[in-house]
Coordinates of all heavy atoms in Angstrom, one line a residue:
I863 N 36.2 -2.6 -21.3 CA 36.8 -3.9 -20.9 C 36.7 -4.9 -22.0 O 37.7 -5.6 -22.2 CB 36.0 -4.4 -19.6 CG1 36.3 -3.5 -18.4 CG2 36.5 -5.8 -19.3 CD1 35.5 -3.9 -17.2
S864 N 35.6 -4.9 -22.7 CA 35.5 -5.9 -23.8 C 36.6 -5.6 -24.9 O 37.2 -6.6 -25.4 CB 34.1 -5.8 -24.5 OG 34.0 -6.7 -25.5
R865 N 36.9 -4.4 -25.2 CA 37.9 -4.0 -26.2 C 39.3 -4.5 -25.7 O 40.1 -5.0 -26.4 CB 37.9 -2.5 -26.5 CG 39.0 -2.2 -27.5 CD 39.1 -0.7 -27.7 NE 38.0 -0.2 -28.5 CZ 37.8 1.0 -28.8 NH1 38.6 2.0 -28.4 NH2 36.8 1.4 -29.5
L866 N 39.6 -4.2 -24.4 CA 40.9 -4.6 -23.9 C 41.1 -6.1 -23.9 O 42.2 -6.6 -24.3 CB 41.0 -4.1 -22.4 CG 41.1 -2.6 -22.2 CD1 41.1 -2.3 -20.7 CD2 42.4 -2.1 -22.8
L867 N 40.0 -6.9 -23.6 CA 40.2 -8.3 -23.7 C 40.3 -8.8 -25.1 O 41.1 -9.7 -25.4 CB 39.0 -9.0 -23.0 CG 38.9 -8.9 -21.5 CD1 37.6 -9.4 -21.0 CD2 40.1 -9.6 -20.8
T868 N 39.6 -8.2 -26.0 CA 39.6 -8.6 -27.4 C 41.0 -8.3 -28.0 O 41.6 -9.2 -28.7 CB 38.6 -7.8 -28.2 OG1 37.3 -8.1 -27.7 CG2 38.6 -8.3 -29.7
E869 N 41.6 -7.1 -27.7 CA 42.8 -6.7 -28.3 C 44.0 -7.4 -27.6 O 45.0 -7.8 -28.2 CB 43.0 -5.2 -28.3 CG 42.1 -4.5 -29.2 CD 42.2 -3.0 -29.0 OE1 42.9 -2.5 -28.1 OE2 41.5 -2.3 -29.8
G870 N 43.9 -7.5 -26.3 CA 45.1 -8.0 -25.5 C 45.1 -9.5 -25.3 O 46.2 -10.1 -25.3
V871 N 43.9 -10.1 -25.2 CA 44.0 -11.6 -24.9 C 43.4 -12.4 -26.0 O 44.1 -13.0 -26.8 CB 43.2 -11.9 -23.6 CG1 43.2 -13.3 -23.2 CG2 43.7 -11.0 -22.4
S872 N 42.0 -12.4 -26.1 CA 41.4 -13.2 -27.1 C 40.0 -12.7 -27.4 O 39.4 -12.1 -26.5 CB 41.3 -14.7 -26.7 OG 40.6 -15.4 -27.7
E873 N 39.5 -12.9 -28.6 CA 38.1 -12.5 -28.9 C 37.0 -13.3 -28.2 O 35.9 -12.9 -28.1 CB 37.9 -12.6 -30.4 CG 38.8 -11.6 -31.2 CD 38.6 -11.8 -32.7 OE1 37.8 -12.7 -33.1 OE2 39.3 -11.1 -33.4
V874 N 37.4 -14.5 -27.6 CA 36.5 -15.3 -26.9 C 36.0 -14.6 -25.6 O 34.8 -14.8 -25.2 CB 37.1 -16.7 -26.6 CG1 36.2 -17.6 -25.8 CG2 37.6 -17.4 -27.9
F875 N 36.8 -13.8 -25.0 CA 36.4 -13.2 -23.8 C 35.3 -12.1 -24.0 O 34.7 -11.7 -23.1 CB 37.6 -12.5 -23.1 CG 38.6 -13.5 -22.5 CD1 39.8 -13.8 -23.0 CD2 38.2 -14.2 -21.3 CE1 40.6 -14.7 -22.4 CE2 39.0 -15.1 -20.7 CZ 40.2 -15.4 -21.3
T876 N 35.1 -11.7 -25.3 CA 34.1 -10.7 -25.6 C 32.7 -11.3 -25.3 O 31.8 -10.7 -24.7 CB 34.2 -10.3 -27.0 OG1 35.4 -9.8 -27.3 CG2 33.1 -9.3 -27.4
I877 N 32.5 -12.6 -25.6 CA 31.3 -13.3 -25.3 C 31.0 -13.3 -23.8 O 29.9 -13.0 -23.4 CB 31.3 -14.7 -25.9 CG1 31.4 -14.7 -27.4 CG2 30.0 -15.5 -25.5 CD1 31.7 -16.0 -28.1
F878 N 32.0 -13.7 -23.0 CA 31.8 -13.7 -21.6 C 31.5 -12.3 -21.0 O 30.7 -12.2 -20.1 CB 33.0 -14.3 -20.9 CG 33.3 -15.8 -21.3 CD1 34.4 -16.1 -21.9 CD2 32.3 -16.7 -21.0 CE1 34.7 -17.5 -22.3 CE2 32.6 -18.1 -21.3 CZ 33.7 -18.4 -22.0
T879 N 32.2 -11.3 -21.5 CA 32.0 -10.0 -21.1 C 30.5 -9.5 -21.4 O 29.9 -8.9 -20.6 CB 33.0 -9.0 -21.7 OG1 34.3 -9.5 -21.4 CG2 32.8 -7.6 -21.1
L880 N 30.1 -9.8 -22.6 CA 28.7 -9.4 -23.0 C 27.7 -10.1 -22.2 O 26.7 -9.5 -21.7 CB 28.5 -9.6 -24.5 CG 29.3 -8.7 -25.4 CD1 29.0 -9.1 -26.9 CD2 28.9 -7.3 -25.2
C881 N 27.9 -11.4 -21.9 CA 27.0 -12.2 -21.1 C 26.9 -11.6 -19.7 O 25.9 -11.5 -19.1 CB 27.4 -13.6 -21.0 SG 27.1 -14.5 -22.6
F882 N 28.1 -11.3 -19.1 CA 28.2 -10.7 -17.8 C 27.4 -9.3 -17.8 O 26.7 -9.1 -16.8 CB 29.6 -10.4 -17.4 CG 29.8 -9.7 -16.1 CD1 29.6 -10.3 -14.9 CD2 30.2 -8.4 -16.1 CE1 29.7 -9.6 -13.7 CE2 30.4 -7.7 -14.9 CZ 30.1 -8.3 -13.7
Q883 N 27.6 -8.5 -18.8 CA 26.9 -7.2 -18.8 C 25.4 -7.4 -18.9 O 24.6 -6.7 -18.3 CB 27.4 -6.4 -20.0 CG 28.8 -5.9 -19.8 CD 29.4 -5.2 -21.0 OE1 28.8 -5.2 -22.1 NE2 30.5 -4.5 -20.8
V884 N 24.9 -8.4 -19.7 CA 23.5 -8.6 -19.8 C 22.9 -9.1 -18.5 O 21.9 -8.6 -18.0 CB 23.2 -9.7 -20.9 CG1 21.8 -10.2 -20.9 CG2 23.5 -9.1 -22.3
V885 N 23.6 -10.0 -17.8 CA 23.1 -10.6 -16.5 C 23.1 -9.4 -15.5 O 22.2 -9.3 -14.7 CB 24.0 -11.7 -16.1 CG1 23.8 -12.1 -14.6 CG2 23.8 -12.9 -17.0
L886 N 24.2 -8.6 -15.5 CA 24.2 -7.5 -14.5 C 23.1 -6.5 -14.8 O 22.5 -6.0 -13.8 CB 25.6 -6.8 -14.6 CG 25.9 -5.8 -13.6 CD1 25.9 -6.4 -12.2 CD2 27.1 -5.0 -13.9
G887 N 22.8 -6.2 -16.0 CA 21.7 -5.3 -16.4 C 20.4 -5.8 -15.9 O 19.6 -5.1 -15.3
F888 N 20.1 -7.1 -16.2 CA 18.8 -7.7 -15.7 C 18.8 -7.7 -14.2 O 17.7 -7.5 -13.6 CB 18.7 -9.1 -16.3 CG 18.2 -9.1 -17.7 CD1 18.9 -9.8 -18.7 CD2 17.0 -8.5 -18.0 CE1 18.4 -9.8 -20.0 CE2 16.5 -8.5 -19.3 CZ 17.2 -9.2 -20.3
S889 N 19.9 -8.0 -13.5 CA 19.9 -8.0 -12.1 C 19.5 -6.6 -11.5 O 18.7 -6.5 -10.6 CB 21.2 -8.4 -11.5 OG 21.6 -9.7 -12.0
V890 N 20.1 -5.6 -12.1 CA 19.8 -4.2 -11.6 C 18.3 -3.9 -11.9 O 17.6 -3.3 -11.0 CB 20.7 -3.2 -12.4 CG1 20.2 -1.8 -12.1 CG2 22.1 -3.4 -11.9
V891 N 17.8 -4.3 -13.0 CA 16.4 -4.0 -13.3 C 15.5 -4.8 -12.3 O 14.5 -4.2 -11.8 CB 16.0 -4.4 -14.7 CG1 14.5 -4.5 -15.0 CG2 16.7 -3.5 -15.7
K892 N 15.8 -6.0 -12.0 CA 15.0 -6.8 -11.0 C 15.1 -6.2 -9.6 O 14.1 -6.2 -8.9 CB 15.5 -8.2 -11.0 CG 15.2 -9.0 -12.2 CD 13.7 -9.2 -12.2 CE 13.3 -10.2 -13.3 NZ 11.9 -10.4 -13.4
V893 N 16.2 -5.7 -9.2 CA 16.3 -5.0 -7.9 C 15.5 -3.8 -7.8 O 14.7 -3.5 -6.9 CB 17.8 -4.7 -7.5 CG1 17.9 -3.8 -6.3 CG2 18.6 -6.0 -7.3
I894 N 15.5 -3.0 -8.9 CA 14.7 -1.8 -8.9 C 13.2 -2.1 -8.9 O 12.5 -1.5 -8.2 CB 15.1 -0.9 -10.2 CG1 16.5 -0.3 -10.0 CG2 14.1 0.2 -10.4 CD1 17.1 0.3 -11.2
S895 N 12.8 -3.1 -9.7 CA 11.4 -3.5 -9.7 C 11.0 -4.1 -8.3 O 9.9 -3.8 -7.9 CB 11.1 -4.4 -10.8 OG 11.8 -5.7 -10.6
G896 N 11.9 -4.8 -7.7 CA 11.6 -5.3 -6.3 C 11.4 -4.2 -5.3 O 10.4 -4.2 -4.5
V897 N 12.2 -3.2 -5.4 CA 12.1 -2.0 -4.4 C 10.8 -1.3 -4.7 O 10.0 -0.9 -3.8 CB 13.3 -1.1 -4.6 CG1 13.0 0.2 -3.9 CG2 14.5 -1.8 -4.0
F898 N 10.5 -1.1 -6.0 CA 9.2 -0.4 -6.4 C 8.0 -1.2 -5.9 O 7.1 -0.6 -5.4 CB 9.2 -0.3 -7.9 CG 7.9 0.4 -8.4 CD1 7.7 1.7 -8.3 CD2 6.9 -0.4 -9.0 CE1 6.6 2.3 -8.7 CE2 5.8 0.2 -9.5 CZ 5.6 1.6 -9.3
L899 N 8.0 -2.5 -6.1 CA 6.9 -3.4 -5.6 C 6.8 -3.3 -4.1 O 5.7 -3.2 -3.6 CB 7.1 -4.8 -6.1 CG 6.0 -5.8 -5.8 CD1 4.7 -5.3 -6.5 CD2 6.4 -7.2 -6.2
T900 N 7.9 -3.3 -3.4 CA 7.8 -3.2 -1.9 C 7.2 -1.9 -1.5 O 6.3 -1.9 -0.6 CB 9.2 -3.4 -1.3 OG1 9.8 -4.6 -1.8 CG2 9.2 -3.3 0.2
E901 N 7.6 -0.8 -2.0 CA 7.1 0.5 -1.7 C 5.6 0.5 -2.0 O 4.8 1.1 -1.3 CB 7.9 1.6 -2.4 CG 9.3 1.7 -1.9 CD 9.3 2.1 -0.4 OE1 8.5 2.9 0.1 OE2 10.2 1.5 0.3
T902 N 5.2 0.0 -3.2 CA 3.8 0.0 -3.6 C 3.0 -0.8 -2.6 O 1.9 -0.4 -2.2 CB 3.7 -0.6 -5.0 OG1 4.5 0.1 -5.9 CG2 2.2 -0.6 -5.4
M903 N 3.5 -1.9 -2.1 CA 2.7 -2.7 -1.1 C 2.6 -2.0 0.2 O 1.6 -2.1 0.9 CB 3.4 -4.1 -0.9 CG 3.2 -5.0 -2.1 SD 1.5 -5.1 -2.6 CE 1.4 -6.7 -3.1
K904 N 3.6 -1.3 0.6 CA 3.6 -0.5 1.9 C 2.5 0.6 1.8 O 1.7 0.8 2.7 CB 4.9 0.2 2.1 CG 6.0 -0.7 2.7 CD 7.2 0.2 3.0 CE 8.4 -0.7 3.3 NZ 9.6 0.1 3.5
V905 N 2.4 1.3 0.6 CA 1.4 2.3 0.4 C 0.0 1.7 0.4 O -0.9 2.2 1.0 CB 1.7 3.1 -0.9 CG1 0.5 4.0 -1.2 CG2 2.9 3.9 -0.7
A906 N -0.1 0.5 -0.2 CA -1.4 -0.2 -0.3 C -1.9 -0.6 1.1 O -3.0 -0.5 1.5 CB -1.3 -1.4 -1.2
A907 N -0.9 -1.1 1.9 CA -1.3 -1.5 3.3 C -1.7 -0.2 4.1 O -2.6 -0.3 4.9 CB -0.1 -2.2 4.0
T908 N -1.0 0.9 3.9 CA -1.4 2.1 4.6 C -2.7 2.6 4.2 O -3.5 3.1 5.1 CB -0.3 3.2 4.3 OG1 1.0 2.7 4.7 CG2 -0.6 4.4 5.1
D909 N -3.0 2.5 2.9 CA -4.3 2.9 2.4 C -5.5 2.1 3.1 O -6.5 2.6 3.4 CB -4.4 2.8 0.9 CG -3.6 3.9 0.2 OD1 -3.2 4.9 0.9 OD2 -3.4 3.8 -1.0
D910 N -5.2 0.8 3.3 CA -6.2 0.0 3.9 C -6.5 0.4 5.3 O -7.6 0.4 5.8 CB -5.8 -1.5 3.9 CG -5.9 -2.1 2.5 OD1 -6.6 -1.5 1.6 OD2 -5.3 -3.2 2.2
S911 N -5.4 0.7 6.1 CA -5.6 1.1 7.5 C -6.2 2.4 7.6 O -7.1 2.7 8.4 CB -4.2 1.1 8.2 OG -3.4 2.1 7.6
I912 N -5.9 3.3 6.6 CA -6.6 4.6 6.6 C -8.1 4.5 6.3 O -8.9 5.1 7.0 CB -5.9 5.6 5.6 CG1 -4.5 6.0 6.1 CG2 -6.8 6.8 5.4 CD1 -3.7 6.7 5.1
M913 N -8.4 3.6 5.4 CA -9.8 3.4 5.0 C -10.5 2.8 6.2 O -11.7 3.1 6.5 CB -9.9 2.4 3.8 CG -11.3 2.2 3.3 SD -11.4 1.1 1.9 CE -10.9 -0.4 2.7
L914 N -9.9 1.8 6.9 CA -10.5 1.2 8.1 C -10.8 2.2 9.2 O -11.9 2.2 9.8 CB -9.6 0.1 8.6 CG -10.2 -0.8 9.7 CD1 -11.4 -1.5 9.3 CD2 -9.1 -1.8 10.1
K915 N -9.8 3.1 9.5 CA -10.0 4.1 10.5 C -11.1 5.1 10.1 O -11.9 5.5 11.0 CB -8.7 4.8 10.7 CG -7.6 4.0 11.4 CD -6.3 4.8 11.6 CE -5.3 3.9 12.2 NZ -4.0 4.6 12.4
T916 N -11.2 5.4 8.9 CA -12.2 6.3 8.4 C -13.6 5.7 8.6 O -14.5 6.3 9.0 CB -12.0 6.7 6.9 OG1 -10.7 7.3 6.8 CG2 -13.0 7.7 6.4
K917 N -13.7 4.4 8.2 CA -15.0 3.7 8.4 C -15.4 3.6 9.8 O -16.5 3.8 10.2 CB -14.8 2.3 7.7 CG -16.1 1.6 7.7 CD -17.1 2.2 6.7 CE -18.3 1.2 6.5 NZ -19.3 1.8 5.7
E918 N -14.4 3.3 10.7 CA -14.7 3.2 12.1 C -15.1 4.5 12.7 O -16.1 4.6 13.5 CB -13.5 2.7 12.9 CG -13.2 1.2 12.7 CD -11.8 0.8 13.3 OE1 -11.1 1.7 13.8 OE2 -11.6 -0.4 13.3
R919 N -14.5 5.6 12.3 CA -14.9 7.0 12.7 C -16.3 7.3 12.3 O -17.1 7.9 13.0 CB -13.9 8.0 12.2 CG -14.1 9.4 12.7 CD -13.1 10.4 12.2 NE -11.7 9.9 12.4 CZ -10.8 9.8 11.3 NH1 -11.2 10.1 10.1 NH2 -9.6 9.4 11.5
A920 N -16.7 6.9 11.0 CA -18.0 7.2 10.5 C -19.0 6.4 11.3 O -20.1 6.9 11.6 CB -18.1 6.8 9.1
I921 N -18.7 5.1 11.7 CA -19.6 4.3 12.5 C -19.8 4.9 13.9 O -21.0 5.0 14.4 CB -19.1 2.9 12.6 CG1 -19.2 2.2 11.2 CG2 -19.8 2.1 13.7 CD1 -18.5 0.8 11.2
R922 N -18.7 5.4 14.5 CA -18.9 6.0 15.8 C -19.7 7.3 15.7 O -20.6 7.6 16.6 CB -17.5 6.4 16.4 CG -16.8 5.2 17.1 CD -15.5 5.6 17.8 NE -14.5 5.5 16.7 CZ -13.5 6.3 16.5 NH1 -13.4 7.4 17.2 NH2 -12.6 6.1 15.6
L923 N -19.5 8.1 14.7 CA -20.3 9.3 14.5 C -21.8 9.0 14.3 O -22.6 9.7 14.9 CB -19.8 10.1 13.4 CG -20.4 11.4 13.1 CD1 -20.3 12.4 14.2 CD2 -19.9 12.1 11.8
H924 N -22.1 8.0 13.6 CA -23.4 7.6 13.4 C -24.1 7.1 14.7 O -25.2 7.4 15.0 CB -23.5 6.5 12.3 CG -24.9 6.0 12.0 ND1 -25.8 6.7 11.4 CD2 -25.5 4.8 12.3 CE1 -26.9 6.1 11.3 NE2 -26.8 4.9 11.8
K925 N -23.3 6.4 15.5 CA -23.8 5.9 16.8 C -24.1 7.0 17.7 O -25.2 7.0 18.3 CB -22.8 5.0 17.4 CG -23.2 4.4 18.7 CD -22.1 3.5 19.3 CE -22.5 3.0 20.7 NZ -21.5 2.3 21.3
V926 N -23.3 8.0 17.7 CA -23.5 9.2 18.6 C -24.8 10.0 18.1 O -25.6 10.4 18.9 CB -22.3 10.2 18.6 CG1 -22.6 11.5 19.2 CG2 -21.1 9.5 19.3
K927 N -24.9 10.1 16.8 CA -26.1 10.8 16.3 C -27.4 10.0 16.6 O -28.4 10.6 17.0 CB -26.0 11.0 14.8 CG -25.0 12.0 14.4 CD -24.9 12.2 12.9 CE -24.0 13.3 12.4 NZ -23.9 13.4 11.0
M928 N -27.3 8.7 16.5 CA -28.5 7.9 16.8 C -28.9 8.0 18.3 O -30.0 8.0 18.6 CB -28.3 6.5 16.3 CG -28.3 6.3 14.8 SD -29.7 6.9 13.9 CE -30.9 5.7 14.4
E929 N -27.8 8.0 19.1 CA -28.1 8.1 20.6 C -28.8 9.4 20.9 O -29.7 9.5 21.7 CB -26.8 7.9 21.4 CG -26.3 6.5 21.4 CD -24.9 6.4 22.0 OE1 -24.3 7.4 22.3 OE2 -24.5 5.3 22.2
R930 N -28.3 10.5 20.3 CA -28.9 11.8 20.5 C -30.4 11.8 20.0 O -31.2 12.4 20.7 CB -28.1 12.9 19.7 CG -26.8 13.3 20.4 CD -26.2 14.5 19.6 NE -24.8 14.5 19.8 CZ -24.0 15.1 19.0 NH1 -24.4 15.7 17.9 NH2 -22.7 15.1 19.3
L931 N -30.6 11.2 18.9 CA -32.0 11.1 18.3 C -32.9 10.4 19.3 O -34.0 10.9 19.6 CB -32.0 10.4 17.0 CG -33.4 10.2 16.4 CD1 -34.0 11.5 16.0 CD2 -33.3 9.2 15.2
F932 N -32.5 9.3 19.8 CA -33.3 8.5 20.7 C -33.5 9.3 22.1 O -34.5 9.2 22.7 CB -32.8 7.1 20.9 CG -33.1 6.2 19.8 CD1 -32.1 5.7 19.0 CD2 -34.4 5.9 19.5 CE1 -32.4 4.9 17.9 CE2 -34.7 5.1 18.4 CZ -33.7 4.6 17.6
E933 N -32.4 10.0 22.5 CA -32.6 10.7 23.8 C -33.5 11.9 23.6 O -34.3 12.2 24.4 CB -31.2 11.3 24.2 CG -30.3 10.3 24.8 CD -28.9 10.8 25.0 OE1 -28.7 12.0 24.8 OE2 -28.0 10.0 25.4
Y934 N -33.5 12.5 22.4 CA -34.4 13.6 22.1 C -35.9 13.1 22.0 O -36.8 13.7 22.4 CB -34.0 14.3 20.8 CG -34.9 15.4 20.4 CD1 -34.8 16.7 21.1 CD2 -35.8 15.3 19.4 CE1 -35.6 17.7 20.7 CE2 -36.6 16.4 19.0 CZ -36.5 17.6 19.7 OH -37.4 18.6 19.3
A935 N -36.0 11.9 21.4 CA -37.3 11.3 21.2 C -37.9 10.7 22.4 O -39.2 10.7 22.6 CB -37.3 10.2 20.1
D936 N -37.1 10.4 23.4 CA -37.6 9.9 24.7 C -38.0 11.0 25.6 O -37.2 11.5 26.4 CB -36.5 9.0 25.3 CG -37.0 8.3 26.6 OD1 -38.2 8.1 26.7 OD2 -36.1 7.9 27.4
V937 N -39.2 11.4 25.4 CA -39.7 12.6 26.1 C -39.8 12.4 27.6 O -39.5 13.2 28.4 CB -41.1 13.0 25.6 CG1 -41.7 14.2 26.3 CG2 -41.0 13.3 24.1
D938 N -40.3 11.2 28.1 CA -40.6 11.0 29.5 C -39.3 10.4 30.2 O -39.4 10.0 31.4 CB -41.8 10.1 29.7 CG -41.6 8.7 29.0 OD1 -40.6 8.5 28.4 OD2 -42.6 7.9 29.2
N939 N -38.2 10.3 29.5 CA -36.9 9.8 30.1 C -37.1 8.4 30.7 O -36.5 8.1 31.7 CB -36.4 10.7 31.1 CG -35.9 12.0 30.5 OD1 -35.5 12.0 29.4 ND2 -36.1 13.1 31.2
S940 N -37.9 7.5 30.0 CA -38.1 6.2 30.5 C -37.0 5.2 30.0 O -36.8 4.1 30.5 CB -39.4 5.7 30.1 OG -39.5 5.6 28.7
G941 N -36.2 5.6 29.1 CA -35.2 4.8 28.5 C -35.6 4.0 27.3 O -34.9 3.2 26.8
S942 N -36.9 4.2 27.0 CA -37.4 3.5 25.8 C -38.4 4.4 25.1 O -38.9 5.4 25.7 CB -38.1 2.2 26.1 OG -39.2 2.4 27.0
I943 N -38.7 4.1 23.9 CA -39.6 5.0 23.1 C -40.8 4.1 22.8 O -40.7 3.0 22.2 CB -38.9 5.4 21.8 CG1 -37.7 6.3 22.1 CG2 -39.9 6.2 20.9 CD1 -36.9 6.7 20.9
D944 N -42.0 4.7 23.1 CA -43.2 4.0 22.8 C -44.0 4.7 21.7 O -43.5 5.7 21.2 CB -44.1 3.8 24.1 CG -44.3 5.1 24.8 OD1 -43.9 6.1 24.3 OD2 -45.0 5.0 25.9
D945 N -45.1 4.2 21.4 CA -45.9 4.8 20.3 C -46.3 6.2 20.6 O -46.5 7.1 19.7 CB -47.1 3.9 20.0 CG -46.7 2.6 19.4 OD1 -45.6 2.5 18.8 OD2 -47.5 1.6 19.5
A946 N -46.6 6.5 21.8 CA -47.1 7.9 22.2 C -46.0 8.9 22.0 O -46.3 10.1 21.8 CB -47.6 7.8 23.7
E947 N -44.8 8.6 22.2 CA -43.7 9.5 22.0 C -43.4 9.7 20.6 O -42.9 10.7 20.2 CB -42.5 9.1 22.8 CG -42.7 9.0 24.3 CD -41.5 8.5 25.0 OE1 -40.8 7.5 24.5 OE2 -41.2 9.0 26.1

């Protein structure tokens, strides 16, 4: 396009064409980086929720194990553990 404008109309249009191509190039790069950033943030948010669910699961498992331990230690089934048990 730049050559056609230079040969057919005027050399001044070459400056406008080059500026247009530079602006268009930067715009495309910005759109691509925006999409990349959006996808990265989605993955980061998913990782946080996965980490939270894993932590909650570990807490529940620990609670179950502790309940079993106290049930096993409560020999007389009184609901509490004293020094004799």
Side-chain angles (χ1 to χ4, degrees):
I863 292 177
S864 181
R865 179 187 285 178
L866 291 174
L867 289 174
T868 303
E869 293 174 356
V871 182
S872 173
E873 295 176 1
V874 178
F875 286 107
T876 304
I877 297 170
F878 295 118
T879 304
L880 290 176
C881 289
F882 174 74
Q883 289 174 350
V884 168
V885 169
L886 187 66
F888 280 123
S889 300
V890 169
V891 169
K892 287 293 186 181
V893 167
I894 290 172
S895 65
V897 169
F898 179 75
L899 185 62
T900 302
E901 292 300 319
T902 303
M903 290 308 217
K904 282 182 188 177
V905 170
T908 303
D909 286 347
D910 288 343
S911 65
I912 290 172
M913 183 181 69
L914 184 62
K915 288 178 184 179
T916 304
K917 186 71 172 175
E918 289 173 351
R919 190 178 308 123
I921 290 171
R922 275 185 273 139
L923 181 62
H924 180 70
K925 181 180 175 184
V926 168
K927 287 181 179 180
M928 293 303 290
E929 287 173 351
R930 285 187 204 154
L931 173 69
F932 284 112
E933 287 173 4
Y934 181 74
D936 187 20
V937 178
D938 61 358
N939 293 328
S940 64
S942 63
I943 299 174
D944 54 2
D945 292 334
E947 294 177 321

